[in-house]
Amino acid sequence: MDQLKGKIPTTSEEIQQYVELAKSKLTTNWDQLTDLIHHHTNDLTVDSVLNDFKNFNVNPVTVSLTLISITTLILLGRLFSSGSSEQHESSGKKHKKKSGKKKLSRAQRANKEIQEILDYVESEYVPEIDKYIENYQTLSKDDLDNKFKFYDEMLLKELVKLDGIDVTGNDILRENRKKVIKFIQDHQKRLDKFKKDIGV
């Protein structure tokens, strides 16, 4: 090998000689390597490997198996520890979310319920009632009557929900609830007036 290291080939003849020399050296080393592998694998049995481990005999097989075992244990340890730390972090985040959420007071809860009813009536029923009144001529007498009853009943249902909200001891909430009740009742009166006007 020292012959190969000492001189860098520059001509095609030198390159050819270099290649031939490298081939011969590799072939010799390859033959030695295969002989070594055959030597160790011919005698290789499970019992011989176990005996080598028990007696702390260092050979290519025991070294290879030891390195494979250690690498596998390290990888499994990292895999399981990263999985458990991710699980721990996610459960910690869930706990923070739960504890970070403040419980609403009775007044806040009541105010939220009143607002939800108002929003619902404004988004669901008011536009439908407007359409009903504007396009009544396209509907049959039965459809007019059925839609009137439906809207009247749904508005009444929302008034019952409002009545069930506890606002005792809080004048602001009582006033808010009154305003929403009046808003819904105005739409009921509107429907009643419409019904009288068209004579259904």
Side-chain angles (χ1 to χ4, degrees):
M1 280 306 228
D2 291 336
Q3 295 170 340
L4 296 175
K5 290 180 192 173
K7 186 177 178 187
I8 298 173
T10 52
T11 65
S12 61
E13 278 182 25
E14 288 176 347
I15 291 172
Q16 187 64 34
Q17 289 172 356
Y18 185 83
V19 169
E20 291 299 322
L21 185 61
K23 276 184 186 176
S24 69
K25 293 291 181 184
L26 286 173
T27 306
T28 307
N29 289 341
W30 181 254
D31 291 341
Q32 290 173 351
L33 181 63
T34 52
D35 286 346
L36 183 66
I37 290 170
H38 284 290
H39 173 72
H40 284 289
T41 54
N42 283 342
D43 300 334
L44 193 62
T45 63
V46 174
D47 290 335
S48 67
V49 172
L50 288 175
N51 282 334
D52 285 344
F53 271 110
K54 284 179 188 174
N55 297 325
F56 296 106
N57 290 341
V58 177
N59 59 43
V61 174
T62 56
V63 170
S64 298
L65 288 174
T66 303
L67 290 174
I68 290 170
S69 301
I70 291 171
T71 306
T72 304
L73 289 173
I74 290 170
L75 290 174
L76 286 174
R78 286 187 181 171
L79 181 69
F80 286 121
S81 68
S82 69
S84 65
S85 67
E86 285 173 10
Q87 188 176 12
H88 180 70
E89 286 173 16
S90 67
S91 67
K93 287 178 186 175
K94 285 179 189 174
H95 181 67
K96 285 179 185 174
K97 284 181 186 175
K98 285 181 185 176
S99 63
K101 219 178 199 181
K102 290 182 180 177
K103 197 172 184 181
L104 295 176
S105 68
R106 186 176 59 84
Q108 288 171 326
R109 193 169 49 251
N111 190 47
K112 184 178 179 220
E113 288 171 10
I114 292 168
Q115 186 61 48
E116 284 173 352
I117 290 171
L118 175 63
D119 292 343
Y120 184 70
V121 169
E122 280 184 321
S123 65
E124 292 295 316
Y125 297 125
V126 172
E128 291 298 317
I129 291 169
D130 290 343
K131 281 184 199 173
Y132 169 67
I133 291 172
E134 287 171 18
N135 302 321
Y136 78 94
Q137 292 171 335
T138 61
L139 300 171
S140 68
K141 189 171 170 39
D142 286 342
D143 284 342
L144 275 171
D145 193 42
N146 289 337
K147 282 188 181 270
F148 173 81
K149 287 178 183 173
F150 172 76
Y151 293 131
D152 191 49
E153 193 176 314
M154 290 300 109
L155 292 175
L156 184 62
K157 185 178 171 186
E158 297 305 315
L159 286 172
V160 170
K161 282 185 194 174
L162 280 167
D163 194 44
I165 298 172
D166 182 17
V167 292
T168 50
N170 192 320
D171 293 337
I172 296 170
L173 282 177
R174 188 177 290 113
E175 195 57 39
N176 284 349
R177 187 174 73 171
K178 272 185 190 177
K179 287 177 183 175
V180 176
I181 288 171
K182 185 180 180 320
F183 174 78
I184 293 173
Q185 287 174 338
D186 286 346
H187 284 287
Q188 283 181 316
K189 288 174 187 171
R190 196 174 148 218
L191 280 168
D192 287 337
K193 183 180 182 309
F194 169 72
K195 187 177 180 186
K196 281 180 188 174
D197 288 348
I198 64 166
V200 176

